[in-house]
Amino acid sequence: MASVTKDQVLAALADVADPDSGQSVVAAGLVSGVVVRDGNVGFALEVDPDRGAAMEPLRKACESAVERLPGVLSVTAVLTAERPAQGRAQDQGHGHGHGHGQGHAQGRQAQAAQQQPSELLPGVKSVIAVASGKGGVGKSTTAVNIAAAMAAQQVRVGLLDCDIYGPSIPRMLNLSGQPEMAGERTLRPMANYGIKCMSIGFLVAEDTAMIWRGPMVMQALEQMMRDVDWGALDVLICDLPPGTGDTQLTMAQRVPLTGAVIVSTPQDIALLDVTRGISMFQQVDVPIFGVVENMSYYVCPACGHRADIFHHGGARETAQRLGVDFLGEIPLDLEIRTTSDSGRPIAVTRPDSPHAASYQHIARSLVDKATSATSGAGRAQPRIVMM
Ligand code: ADP
């Protein structure tokens, strides 16, 4: 069957009316970033952030219109908001918390009542967020290597790339192409090295991902949980976007997290970010499983001399001071970088190396913590930490 073209997609969408303007969604300028690859179609509907929740029927109508075209295998339409939301629009649809703390806790309860975690991720036993206070600290590299170490330990593991703005997991797992359909409306995750993976990078062109703003990011995130056939998983690792802003906070609310890991470099500035990361998860009652210090020290490959370039050990001290566990340290190492950047994570390619051993150790601790958090009473009670 001939593959569908972008023009055919736009023609199909020209029959869908925008209820607000009465024009077609194409004429109203709502459709952007159409990508068509081998019968898999992705596009964005740019809507006013204030209309977010009300636009869901329109999004579905657009998907259905394109699905009817011959040659279409899958359709993914995502609501996006070009303009940054005013105020705390991210909170729309799940409570009206204006401040932090209590407002968010209430928001979380409202959200839980509205969408049970089991509905979003029915076969997944535990979900672990990997977060960092800022970009470039090696959060994605750590997430990928931990996932690879878990897979090697026969843990059924998935990796959800929540970084809508700059998805890097497909490259790090050497995955490209598009997910196949697993059912009428469900995508099968991609997989490599025994890790199931879903990323917005599979669905839309990179430049499209970059324009996404505000609350509609949550729409894409929920689709990557709900509309993906994750199957039975012991652990789903969520690589959050770097930072501790409203987007990350809302993600921490929306994703049914069992616990969170904070990745940090040892520099003092980054440690401030650790504190922010910890308090972000505490605001939404997600237990902190611990802190990983990445690029912790440097071992000279020529002479074996170990140099603590950035006052190594800072993350351990910060973790102790804040009453959270220190999970381990990963050195600054050229091989970690080259393997990560070329899609061959060191935990897979050199499982007997000392670096892989560090990731294996962290992976084991996390599986233990996730298992005890999900057994018995379920989510651990939030702890009061003096700061
Ligand atoms: P983040 O997700 O925090 O933005 P990445 O995982 O993308 O960071 O890593 C940023 C860069 O640092 C990448 O080029 C990666 O290969 C490199 N990197 C990450 N961890 C290490 C490490 N322990 N040693 C050397 N390079 C690393």
Side-chain angles (χ1 to χ4, degrees), residues 286-298:
V286 173
I288 307 290
F289 283 171
V291 175
V292 172
E293 186 173 276
N294 189 40
M295 310 194 204
S296 181
Y297 56 91
Y298 178 71

mmCIF file with all atom_site columns, all heavy atoms in Angstrom, residues 286-298:
data_model
loop_
_atom_site.group_PDB
_atom_site.id
_atom_site.type_symbol
_atom_site.label_atom_id
_atom_site.label_alt_id
_atom_site.label_comp_id
_atom_site.label_asym_id
_atom_site.label_entity_id
_atom_site.label_seq_id
_atom_site.pdbx_PDB_ins_code
_atom_site.Cartn_x
_atom_site.Cartn_y
_atom_site.Cartn_z
_atom_site.occupancy
_atom_site.B_iso_or_equiv
_atom_site.pdbx_formal_charge
_atom_site.auth_seq_id
_atom_site.auth_comp_id
_atom_site.auth_asym_id
_atom_site.auth_atom_id
_atom_site.pdbx_PDB_model_num
ATOM 1   N N   . VAL A 1 286 ? 6.617  12.573 47.018 1.00 0.00 ? 286 VAL A N   1
ATOM 2   C CA  . VAL A 1 286 ? 7.319  11.462 46.372 1.00 0.00 ? 286 VAL A CA  1
ATOM 3   C C   . VAL A 1 286 ? 8.596  11.186 47.168 1.00 0.00 ? 286 VAL A C   1
ATOM 4   O O   . VAL A 1 286 ? 9.413  12.087 47.362 1.00 0.00 ? 286 VAL A O   1
ATOM 5   C CB  . VAL A 1 286 ? 7.673  11.804 44.902 1.00 0.00 ? 286 VAL A CB  1
ATOM 6   C CG1 . VAL A 1 286 ? 8.556  10.719 44.295 1.00 0.00 ? 286 VAL A CG1 1
ATOM 7   C CG2 . VAL A 1 286 ? 6.404  11.975 44.076 1.00 0.00 ? 286 VAL A CG2 1
ATOM 8   N N   . PRO A 1 287 ? 8.779  9.948  47.638 1.00 0.00 ? 287 PRO A N   1
ATOM 9   C CA  . PRO A 1 287 ? 9.981  9.646  48.427 1.00 0.00 ? 287 PRO A CA  1
ATOM 10  C C   . PRO A 1 287 ? 11.254 9.811  47.595 1.00 0.00 ? 287 PRO A C   1
ATOM 11  O O   . PRO A 1 287 ? 11.274 9.486  46.411 1.00 0.00 ? 287 PRO A O   1
ATOM 12  C CB  . PRO A 1 287 ? 9.801  8.174  48.810 1.00 0.00 ? 287 PRO A CB  1
ATOM 13  C CG  . PRO A 1 287 ? 8.419  7.787  48.444 1.00 0.00 ? 287 PRO A CG  1
ATOM 14  C CD  . PRO A 1 287 ? 7.903  8.775  47.466 1.00 0.00 ? 287 PRO A CD  1
ATOM 15  N N   . ILE A 1 288 ? 12.300 10.314 48.242 1.00 0.00 ? 288 ILE A N   1
ATOM 16  C CA  . ILE A 1 288 ? 13.603 10.427 47.577 1.00 0.00 ? 288 ILE A CA  1
ATOM 17  C C   . ILE A 1 288 ? 14.359 9.128  47.827 1.00 0.00 ? 288 ILE A C   1
ATOM 18  O O   . ILE A 1 288 ? 14.679 8.812  48.973 1.00 0.00 ? 288 ILE A O   1
ATOM 19  C CB  . ILE A 1 288 ? 14.423 11.602 48.161 1.00 0.00 ? 288 ILE A CB  1
ATOM 20  C CG1 . ILE A 1 288 ? 13.626 12.908 48.137 1.00 0.00 ? 288 ILE A CG1 1
ATOM 21  C CG2 . ILE A 1 288 ? 15.748 11.746 47.418 1.00 0.00 ? 288 ILE A CG2 1
ATOM 22  C CD1 . ILE A 1 288 ? 13.388 13.479 46.789 1.00 0.00 ? 288 ILE A CD1 1
ATOM 23  N N   . PHE A 1 289 ? 14.639 8.386  46.767 1.00 0.00 ? 289 PHE A N   1
ATOM 24  C CA  . PHE A 1 289 ? 15.404 7.150  46.929 1.00 0.00 ? 289 PHE A CA  1
ATOM 25  C C   . PHE A 1 289 ? 16.880 7.445  47.152 1.00 0.00 ? 289 PHE A C   1
ATOM 26  O O   . PHE A 1 289 ? 17.604 6.614  47.685 1.00 0.00 ? 289 PHE A O   1
ATOM 27  C CB  . PHE A 1 289 ? 15.214 6.241  45.715 1.00 0.00 ? 289 PHE A CB  1
ATOM 28  C CG  . PHE A 1 289 ? 13.885 5.513  45.717 1.00 0.00 ? 289 PHE A CG  1
ATOM 29  C CD1 . PHE A 1 289 ? 13.470 4.795  44.603 1.00 0.00 ? 289 PHE A CD1 1
ATOM 30  C CD2 . PHE A 1 289 ? 13.056 5.520  46.830 1.00 0.00 ? 289 PHE A CD2 1
ATOM 31  C CE1 . PHE A 1 289 ? 12.264 4.112  44.609 1.00 0.00 ? 289 PHE A CE1 1
ATOM 32  C CE2 . PHE A 1 289 ? 11.850 4.835  46.839 1.00 0.00 ? 289 PHE A CE2 1
ATOM 33  C CZ  . PHE A 1 289 ? 11.447 4.129  45.715 1.00 0.00 ? 289 PHE A CZ  1
ATOM 34  N N   . GLY A 1 290 ? 17.338 8.609  46.714 1.00 0.00 ? 290 GLY A N   1
ATOM 35  C CA  . GLY A 1 290 ? 18.729 8.955  46.998 1.00 0.00 ? 290 GLY A CA  1
ATOM 36  C C   . GLY A 1 290 ? 19.342 9.864  45.954 1.00 0.00 ? 290 GLY A C   1
ATOM 37  O O   . GLY A 1 290 ? 18.689 10.307 45.020 1.00 0.00 ? 290 GLY A O   1
ATOM 38  N N   . VAL A 1 291 ? 20.632 10.116 46.179 1.00 0.00 ? 291 VAL A N   1
ATOM 39  C CA  . VAL A 1 291 ? 21.386 11.040 45.335 1.00 0.00 ? 291 VAL A CA  1
ATOM 40  C C   . VAL A 1 291 ? 22.561 10.291 44.714 1.00 0.00 ? 291 VAL A C   1
ATOM 41  O O   . VAL A 1 291 ? 23.203 9.471  45.376 1.00 0.00 ? 291 VAL A O   1
ATOM 42  C CB  . VAL A 1 291 ? 21.919 12.210 46.198 1.00 0.00 ? 291 VAL A CB  1
ATOM 43  C CG1 . VAL A 1 291 ? 22.803 13.132 45.386 1.00 0.00 ? 291 VAL A CG1 1
ATOM 44  C CG2 . VAL A 1 291 ? 20.766 12.984 46.827 1.00 0.00 ? 291 VAL A CG2 1
ATOM 45  N N   . VAL A 1 292 ? 22.811 10.542 43.427 1.00 0.00 ? 292 VAL A N   1
ATOM 46  C CA  . VAL A 1 292 ? 23.981 9.987  42.747 1.00 0.00 ? 292 VAL A CA  1
ATOM 47  C C   . VAL A 1 292 ? 24.912 11.141 42.413 1.00 0.00 ? 292 VAL A C   1
ATOM 48  O O   . VAL A 1 292 ? 24.476 12.160 41.880 1.00 0.00 ? 292 VAL A O   1
ATOM 49  C CB  . VAL A 1 292 ? 23.574 9.268  41.431 1.00 0.00 ? 292 VAL A CB  1
ATOM 50  C CG1 . VAL A 1 292 ? 24.813 8.864  40.631 1.00 0.00 ? 292 VAL A CG1 1
ATOM 51  C CG2 . VAL A 1 292 ? 22.708 8.050  41.714 1.00 0.00 ? 292 VAL A CG2 1
ATOM 52  N N   . GLU A 1 293 ? 26.186 10.977 42.748 1.00 0.00 ? 293 GLU A N   1
ATOM 53  C CA  . GLU A 1 293 ? 27.155 12.010 42.368 1.00 0.00 ? 293 GLU A CA  1
ATOM 54  C C   . GLU A 1 293 ? 27.830 11.570 41.068 1.00 0.00 ? 293 GLU A C   1
ATOM 55  O O   . GLU A 1 293 ? 28.510 10.546 41.030 1.00 0.00 ? 293 GLU A O   1
ATOM 56  C CB  . GLU A 1 293 ? 28.199 12.209 43.470 1.00 0.00 ? 293 GLU A CB  1
ATOM 57  C CG  . GLU A 1 293 ? 29.117 13.375 43.163 1.00 0.00 ? 293 GLU A CG  1
ATOM 58  C CD  . GLU A 1 293 ? 30.054 13.688 44.330 1.00 0.00 ? 293 GLU A CD  1
ATOM 59  O OE1 . GLU A 1 293 ? 29.636 14.408 45.248 1.00 0.00 ? 293 GLU A OE1 1
ATOM 60  O OE2 . GLU A 1 293 ? 31.190 13.187 44.315 1.00 0.00 ? 293 GLU A OE2 1
ATOM 61  N N   . ASN A 1 294 ? 27.580 12.337 40.011 1.00 0.00 ? 294 ASN A N   1
ATOM 62  C CA  . ASN A 1 294 ? 28.162 11.994 38.707 1.00 0.00 ? 294 ASN A CA  1
ATOM 63  C C   . ASN A 1 294 ? 29.340 12.917 38.407 1.00 0.00 ? 294 ASN A C   1
ATOM 64  O O   . ASN A 1 294 ? 29.378 14.040 38.884 1.00 0.00 ? 294 ASN A O   1
ATOM 65  C CB  . ASN A 1 294 ? 27.095 12.116 37.614 1.00 0.00 ? 294 ASN A CB  1
ATOM 66  C CG  . ASN A 1 294 ? 27.574 11.558 36.289 1.00 0.00 ? 294 ASN A CG  1
ATOM 67  O OD1 . ASN A 1 294 ? 28.247 10.523 36.242 1.00 0.00 ? 294 ASN A OD1 1
ATOM 68  N ND2 . ASN A 1 294 ? 27.250 12.246 35.198 1.00 0.00 ? 294 ASN A ND2 1
ATOM 69  N N   . MET A 1 295 ? 30.264 12.433 37.600 1.00 0.00 ? 295 MET A N   1
ATOM 70  C CA  . MET A 1 295 ? 31.505 13.164 37.291 1.00 0.00 ? 295 MET A CA  1
ATOM 71  C C   . MET A 1 295 ? 32.194 13.520 38.606 1.00 0.00 ? 295 MET A C   1
ATOM 72  O O   . MET A 1 295 ? 32.666 14.628 38.828 1.00 0.00 ? 295 MET A O   1
ATOM 73  C CB  . MET A 1 295 ? 31.212 14.407 36.450 1.00 0.00 ? 295 MET A CB  1
ATOM 74  C CG  . MET A 1 295 ? 30.346 14.111 35.235 1.00 0.00 ? 295 MET A CG  1
ATOM 75  S SD  . MET A 1 295 ? 30.356 15.456 34.058 1.00 0.00 ? 295 MET A SD  1
ATOM 76  C CE  . MET A 1 295 ? 28.818 15.195 33.187 1.00 0.00 ? 295 MET A CE  1
ATOM 77  N N   . SER A 1 296 ? 32.206 12.523 39.483 1.00 0.00 ? 296 SER A N   1
ATOM 78  C CA  . SER A 1 296 ? 32.600 12.709 40.862 1.00 0.00 ? 296 SER A CA  1
ATOM 79  C C   . SER A 1 296 ? 34.098 12.938 41.017 1.00 0.00 ? 296 SER A C   1
ATOM 80  O O   . SER A 1 296 ? 34.531 13.794 41.778 1.00 0.00 ? 296 SER A O   1
ATOM 81  C CB  . SER A 1 296 ? 32.163 11.455 41.622 1.00 0.00 ? 296 SER A CB  1
ATOM 82  O OG  . SER A 1 296 ? 32.473 11.519 42.961 1.00 0.00 ? 296 SER A OG  1
ATOM 83  N N   . TYR A 1 297 ? 34.885 12.148 40.329 1.00 0.00 ? 297 TYR A N   1
ATOM 84  C CA  . TYR A 1 297 ? 36.344 12.264 40.407 1.00 0.00 ? 297 TYR A CA  1
ATOM 85  C C   . TYR A 1 297 ? 36.900 11.804 39.070 1.00 0.00 ? 297 TYR A C   1
ATOM 86  O O   . TYR A 1 297 ? 36.169 11.270 38.222 1.00 0.00 ? 297 TYR A O   1
ATOM 87  C CB  . TYR A 1 297 ? 36.905 11.414 41.547 1.00 0.00 ? 297 TYR A CB  1
ATOM 88  C CG  . TYR A 1 297 ? 36.517 9.972  41.465 1.00 0.00 ? 297 TYR A CG  1
ATOM 89  C CD1 . TYR A 1 297 ? 37.317 9.050  40.797 1.00 0.00 ? 297 TYR A CD1 1
ATOM 90  C CD2 . TYR A 1 297 ? 35.320 9.515  42.033 1.00 0.00 ? 297 TYR A CD2 1
ATOM 91  C CE1 . TYR A 1 297 ? 36.935 7.721  40.694 1.00 0.00 ? 297 TYR A CE1 1
ATOM 92  C CE2 . TYR A 1 297 ? 34.941 8.188  41.933 1.00 0.00 ? 297 TYR A CE2 1
ATOM 93  C CZ  . TYR A 1 297 ? 35.748 7.297  41.263 1.00 0.00 ? 297 TYR A CZ  1
ATOM 94  O OH  . TYR A 1 297 ? 35.373 6.001  41.137 1.00 0.00 ? 297 TYR A OH  1
ATOM 95  N N   . TYR A 1 298 ? 38.181 12.000 38.878 1.00 0.00 ? 298 TYR A N   1
ATOM 96  C CA  . TYR A 1 298 ? 38.793 11.678 37.599 1.00 0.00 ? 298 TYR A CA  1
ATOM 97  C C   . TYR A 1 298 ? 39.983 10.770 37.826 1.00 0.00 ? 298 TYR A C   1
ATOM 98  O O   . TYR A 1 298 ? 40.830 11.040 38.683 1.00 0.00 ? 298 TYR A O   1
ATOM 99  C CB  . TYR A 1 298 ? 39.245 12.978 36.920 1.00 0.00 ? 298 TYR A CB  1
ATOM 100 C CG  . TYR A 1 298 ? 39.943 12.774 35.603 1.00 0.00 ? 298 TYR A CG  1
ATOM 101 C CD1 . TYR A 1 298 ? 39.232 12.353 34.483 1.00 0.00 ? 298 TYR A CD1 1
ATOM 102 C CD2 . TYR A 1 298 ? 41.305 13.004 35.473 1.00 0.00 ? 298 TYR A CD2 1
ATOM 103 C CE1 . TYR A 1 298 ? 39.859 12.162 33.273 1.00 0.00 ? 298 TYR A CE1 1
ATOM 104 C CE2 . TYR A 1 298 ? 41.953 12.813 34.256 1.00 0.00 ? 298 TYR A CE2 1
ATOM 105 C CZ  . TYR A 1 298 ? 41.219 12.392 33.164 1.00 0.00 ? 298 TYR A CZ  1
ATOM 106 O OH  . TYR A 1 298 ? 41.846 12.196 31.967 1.00 0.00 ? 298 TYR A OH  1
#
